[in-house]
Structures are given as C-alpha cells and as structure tokens.
Amino acid sequence: MAERHIVIVGGGFSGTALAIHLARSGHAGLKVTVIEPREQLGRGVAYGTRDPSHRINVPAERMHLSAAEEGDFDRWFRASPACQIDAEARWHDGKLYPQRAQFGAYLNELYRLAAASSAVKLHHVRDRAVALENGAVITASGQGYRADDVVLAISHPPPALPSLLKHLTHSRALVANPWRVDALAGVVPTDRVAIIGSGLTMSDVVASLHRQGHRGEITAFSRRGQLPRPNLSGQFAPRALDYSRPQAATVRGWLRRVRDEIKAAAALNLPWQLVLDDIRSNGQRLWQQFSLKEQQRFLRHLRPWWDVHRYRIAPQVSAVLEQLQDDGRLTVKAARLVKAEDNQGRITLTLQPRGATPESLTVDKIIVTTGPAHGALLSSDALLSQLATQGAIQADPLALGIWVNAQSQTLNIHGNANPHLYVVGPAARGRFGELMGLPQVAEHAETLARSLLDTASFPQAGRCPASLKTL
Ligand SMILES: Cc1cc2nc3c(=O)[nH]c(=O)nc-3n(C[C@H](O)[C@H](O)[C@H](O)COP(=O)(O)OP(=O)(O)OC[C@H]3O[C@@H](n4cnc5c(N)ncnc54)[C@H](O)[C@@H]3O)c2cc1C
C-alpha cells in the first residue's frame, strides 16, 4: 500500500503536538516526519531553555496537549523526581510553576510514547529544512523528503536588533539574542546592565542574572515601561462572560465592555484576571469577528495593554523583580532609546523618558529583549524566504506571521490556498488571533491533525500532489 507522508517542519511545541495527535488518531499507511535540528522534539524556543530560573508562566494544571488531558502535566510533574528537587516550583497557594525545561521533557516523553505505540510511523530527522522543491522538503544536509502534505511549525525568530544598535553588532557589550545558550555568560556580577524591553523575555533575563549572583544595577526600559502582571494566587471558579449579549463590533466597544466586566467582577471581590482569562479562551472567535481595520486598531492602541495583562509571569519570577526593585538594583523606565554610542568598550545610551528631558546612561552590557521578531518571520528562515520569494506564501496583513485560511492552509500572493501546505501554531495568529498560550496552540494542533486525517482528497497517497510539486 502506498504510504501517505506528512512532513512537519519544526519540532517545537506546535510541530510535536501535531505529530502526537496524528500518531494518536492516525492509522497504518501514514508516515509523519518531523524535521527539527534540536536534539529533542517538544522543546522549541520556549521549552528548550535549561535555565532553572525560567519557569512556565501559568500553573502546571493549565498546560496540556488537549482539553481531554487537563491536569496531566501537573500530575506528571508531581510524580517526577524533579518536583522533589525543585521545592521552589510550589507556590504558597499550592500551585506548581515548574521550570520550562520540565514541560519540554514531558512533551518529549509523550512523543516517544506515541511513536512506540502507534500504527503511524513517526520519525524525527535532525536537520534544518531549507527549501521545498518538486514536492520534496530539502534539508541543509542535502536530503530530500517527498511529502503529500507539508506543515510549517516555525514560530519564534530571535528578537530584531533595534536600528539604533546596529552599529554595535560587534561590540562585546551587546547581547543581541538573549535566547542563545550562554548568552549571559559574559555578564559579570558587578556589570551595570541596560535591558531594552520590559516584557516576558526581560523577566527571564533578570531572573537569570539574579540566579547567577548579579549585583550590578539593572535598568530595563520600554516605551510604556509596563511590566507583565503576576498570575492569580489562590483558587477561583472561572468567570464566564455572557457572549449571547449584543456584542460590540469595534475594539473601543470591547474595551468598554471589558472595563465594565472587570468592575462587575471587582464588586463581587473577584480579580480582573478571571475576566481576561475568559476573553482569552474565547479570543479566536472574538478576533475573527473584527474587521481588518479593527484588528489593526487593536494592535496599534491596545496591544501593549493587552500583552502585559494577558502574558503573565510566574509568581517566583514576579517576586524576584519586586525584590530587586525594592532593593534599588532594578529600575524600570518608560523611555525611548534615542542614541547609543560605543564608549571604550562600554555603551552610553541616551534615553528619552516620557514627558521628561533626555538622560544619559553608561552601561557595561545592553541586552535586547524586545521579543520574537514575528514581523520578520518570512525573512528569518531559508525555507520561508524561498516560499515567500516564489509567492507561494505571504505574510499576513497584520505582520504577525504567515497568512492562512480558516483551515490553516497557506495563501499564496494571489490569495489562493495551497491545499497541501499548512501552518500550525502561533505563526497563524494573523487569522486566528489568540494563538500563543499552550491551550490554544494545543487545540490548533489537534484540530489540524483531525482535518489532515479527514482529508478525503488523498486517493493517490505516496504520489506527491501536483499543487505541492509546482511550489
Ligand atoms: C520564551 C517563551 C516562553 C513561553 N512560555 C510559555 C508558558 O510558560 N506557558 C504558555 O502557555 N505559553 C508559553 N509560551 C508560548 C508558547 O508555548 C509558544 O508559543 C509555543 O511553544 C510555540 O512553539 P512553536 O513550536 O510553534 O515554535 P518555536 O518554539 O519557535 O519552535 C519552532 C521550532 O522549529 C525549529 N525550526 C525553525 N526553523 C526550522 C527549519 N527551517 N527547519 C526545521 N526546523 C526549524 C526550531 O529549531 C524550533 O525548535 C512561551 C513562548 C516563548 C517564546
């Protein structure tokens, strides 16, 4: 029997979750190849870190591969030796915030279990995909993998270097990619450090510096100087908003509604987090009801506000930030970078604080934590560049990732769907909106697995579809 072959490019959370769902629900005659250069699947940018101070940013009970498995990671971690060793993982309210590497280990174990017990053939090819030619995915080592379907699972390029820092590329004082292994190894404990960005990556970097005994002053700055909010402590029943009420078609209308909902919750002594959590879990539906203009308006005006409330941090990390701020070792400023000059190996920054006169800051290191450069995703990777140059794929109109239709099929520059070239995970956010946190990405992978397995258009499995061949 001819084998149907699905090739997944990228084995971070999204690609690995898709492979597991395909293995669990697929049948003999299906082969799934995950092309991923990292040694283990399931790690990716988020869970590939080995730094013990990097923790998952929601309680373990909320990290799962499908809604049916709610609580599974929490149970797995509680039963693991790592839970006994890492006493800090348990917060005062009893919730667990394990190190992110633990979630990677959990996912890798699920993958290995699926590979061992499924009739579907699962393979991890340790390589990097660099092109798609005549229906075959070509890797950096020159191998070709003929595919019936290709799924792109590449989400997080490294942060972009701000243009004002480009001339410092060769300076040892610049840490341009904080995700590189040992990126902070060159920071000595007494260094005066500036961090550009004040979100989740900044929080990771400060937690890492704290763990490595940093004593020097740290200044983090971003235009609004807003820090991610901590997660909710304690047990609360979820709060469901009434979506049957007539709903605003504008982001301004929704902002009003959210404020009203938060006030109503506060009147019952309930925290705002419950309102945002409910909106987040209904986010994909709400997002797709907005016109493109309203989506653009959201990104322009509300995104920074949404991001700091929606992307929260583990309470352990929040406590470190608070302690360092109280000790005067960490300052968070609302300021814009206007100049950066090399100053005999150090860097002198000119910052423009909001509504105040410019100030100068000389530091030993500057670390870029502006987050993944999603707007540059298509040029960040050889395969995506090739496909974009050919017009086979395009960036979404909001520059959040790759433009897809409701079935997650990529759209070419003419807006036509490539029926056998898909995207899984956050790179499809332009279409789906809320597609970053684990529950939503897991659901996306599960839905795509189902639709790939349901595809009735495969009478010729094993013979590469013409539409892929012509890409
Ligand atoms: C730092 C960070 C921390 C996060 N923490 C949490 C959290 O605590 N809780 C939560 O719910 N969500 C969290 N998230 C969000 C969420 O879990 C991630 O968005 C999710 O893991 C996305 O994974 P991915 O596989 O789509 O992408 P990525 O992590 O970007 O993985 C893509 C993989 O593709 C590989 N790759 C890239 N190009 C190629 C190529 N050409 N060929 C082959 N392979 C390639 C890369 O090596 C990488 O392993 C976090 C996100 C980040 C960035």
Side-chain angles (χ1 to χ4, degrees):
M1 188 175 72
E3 240 177 11
R4 178 181 171 193
H5 190 195
I6 299 177
V7 174
I8 302 172
V9 179
F13 175 75
S14 305
T16 306
L18 176 64
I20 296 171
H21 284 302
L22 287 169
R24 286 176 176 178
S25 309
H27 302 284
L30 174 63
K31 180 174 152 186
V32 177
T33 299
V34 186
I35 302 179
E36 164 62 55
R38 290 175 202 251
E39 188 184 341
Q40 285 191 344
L41 293 184
R43 301 268 176 192
V45 172
Y47 313 106
T49 172
R50 303 284 169 171
D51 189 321
S53 54
H54 294 171
R55 295 188 177 274
I56 58 169
N57 53 27
V58 293
E61 65 197 22
R62 284 173 52 184
M63 304 276 285
H64 47 70
L65 196 61
S66 72
E69 287 156 274
E70 212 174 314
D72 193 55
F73 173 55
D74 185 272
R75 288 186 289 276
W76 179 91
F77 181 68
R78 282 177 199 271
S80 74
C83 185
Q84 313 310 318
I85 297 165
D86 180 17
E88 240 188 89
R90 186 185 299 270
W91 194 241
H92 310 313
D93 58 2
K95 289 181 184 163
L96 295 174
Y97 292 84
Q99 295 164 13
R100 287 212 295 274
Q102 289 301 317
F103 187 75
Y106 165 75
L107 196 66
N108 190 260
E109 191 172 302
L110 291 189
Y111 171 82
R112 284 189 283 110
L113 274 176
S117 59
S118 174
V120 175
K121 290 185 195 161
L122 279 190
H123 296 279
H124 170 199
V125 169
R126 213 173 151 200
D127 208 340
R128 178 169 289 279
V130 291
L132 180 55
E133 282 168 13
N134 298 320
V137 178
I138 312 296
T139 61
S141 68
Q143 299 297 308
Y145 297 87
R146 227 161 46 86
D148 293 300
D149 293 280
V150 175
V151 184
L152 303 170
I154 304 170
S155 302
H156 301 307
L161 190 61
S163 54
L164 289 167
L165 296 180
K166 287 218 162 107
H167 64 290
L168 299 172
T169 311
H170 300 294
S171 167
R172 289 173 59 180
L174 175 71
V175 180
N177 180 0
W179 296 338
R180 244 189 30 235
V181 178
D182 292 335
L184 304 180
V187 183
V188 296
T190 50
D191 272 352
R192 196 164 187 201
V193 173
I195 303 181
I196 178 161
S198 64
L200 295 184
T201 312
M202 181 281 294
S203 309
D204 272 354
V205 164
V206 173
S208 302
L209 289 175
H210 178 66
R211 191 185 57 83
Q212 65 187 46
H214 196 79
R215 301 188 300 277
E217 270 178 42
I218 304 172
T219 306
F221 63 94
S222 66
R223 281 172 187 253
R224 289 175 180 78
Q226 293 277 333
L227 289 177
R229 306 301 195 259
N231 251 305
L232 198 54
S233 196
Q235 296 292 346
F236 293 90
R239 184 167 172 81
L241 274 58
D242 178 4
Y243 295 98
S244 65
R245 269 173 53 180
Q247 285 175 41
T250 61
V251 286
R252 190 190 286 262
W254 260 101
L255 180 61
R256 252 195 316 269
R257 167 96 193 260
V258 172
R259 284 186 170 142
D260 291 347
E261 294 285 355
I262 289 174
K263 260 191 221 149
L268 299 170
N269 278 330
L270 296 174
W272 58 264
Q273 284 94 334
L274 298 181
V275 174
L276 261 79
D277 286 350
D278 191 61
I279 291 182
R280 180 178 155 183
S281 50
N282 287 280
Q284 294 197 359
R285 195 167 41 79
L286 298 176
W287 181 253
Q288 290 177 75
Q289 285 167 4
F290 285 142
S291 64
L292 178 61
K293 211 164 149 197
E294 286 301 315
Q295 291 174 345
Q296 285 163 333
R297 212 165 259 161
F298 172 86
L299 293 178
R300 216 170 26 247
H301 303 297
L302 289 185
R303 187 183 180 175
W305 177 87
W306 171 255
D307 280 358
V308 292
H309 289 83
R310 176 249 175 274
Y311 296 113
R312 295 177 217 145
I313 49 177
Q316 293 87 340
V317 178
S318 186
V320 168
L321 298 185
E322 263 176 40
Q323 183 200 325
L324 294 184
Q325 281 179 292
D326 290 349
D327 295 351
R329 280 185 287 159
L330 169 67
T331 309
V332 182
K333 285 180 186 290
R336 189 164 57 83
L337 178 67
V338 287
K339 200 152 111 197
E341 291 168 296
D342 194 330
N343 187 349
Q344 296 173 335
R346 302 174 87 205
I347 294 183
T348 298
L349 305 169
T350 308
L351 302 182
Q352 173 67 65
R354 295 189 104 188
T357 47
E359 51 189 62
S360 164
L361 176 69
T362 298
V363 293
D364 301 292
K365 292 282 182 297
I366 174 149
I367 305 173
V368 180
T369 68
T370 45
H374 291 126
L377 179 65
L378 295 191
S379 56
S380 69
D381 176 89
L383 170 65
L384 300 182
S385 288
Q386 179 232 347
L387 293 171
T389 307
Q390 285 176 350
I393 61 172
Q394 57 171 316
D396 65 73
L398 301 164
L400 294 174
I402 305 169
W403 198 211
V404 296
N405 63 13
Q407 287 72 45
S408 301
Q409 291 163 326
T410 54
L411 297 172
N412 68 19
I413 43 163
H414 306 296
N416 299 324
N418 295 303
H420 302 288
L421 180 59
Y422 296 80
V423 172
V424 65
R429 267 189 315 159
R431 167 70 57 189
F432 298 105
E434 187 55 44
L435 186 53
M436 184 58 78
L438 242 290
Q440 284 77 29
V441 181
E443 195 185 341
H444 188 228
E446 195 177 8
T447 306
L448 181 57
R450 219 177 296 126
S451 86
L452 279 165
L453 294 171
D454 280 353
T455 310
S457 58
F458 268 89
Q460 299 172 323
R463 291 174 50 194
C464 178
S467 66
L468 260 193
K469 266 192 173 162
T470 52
L471 286 180

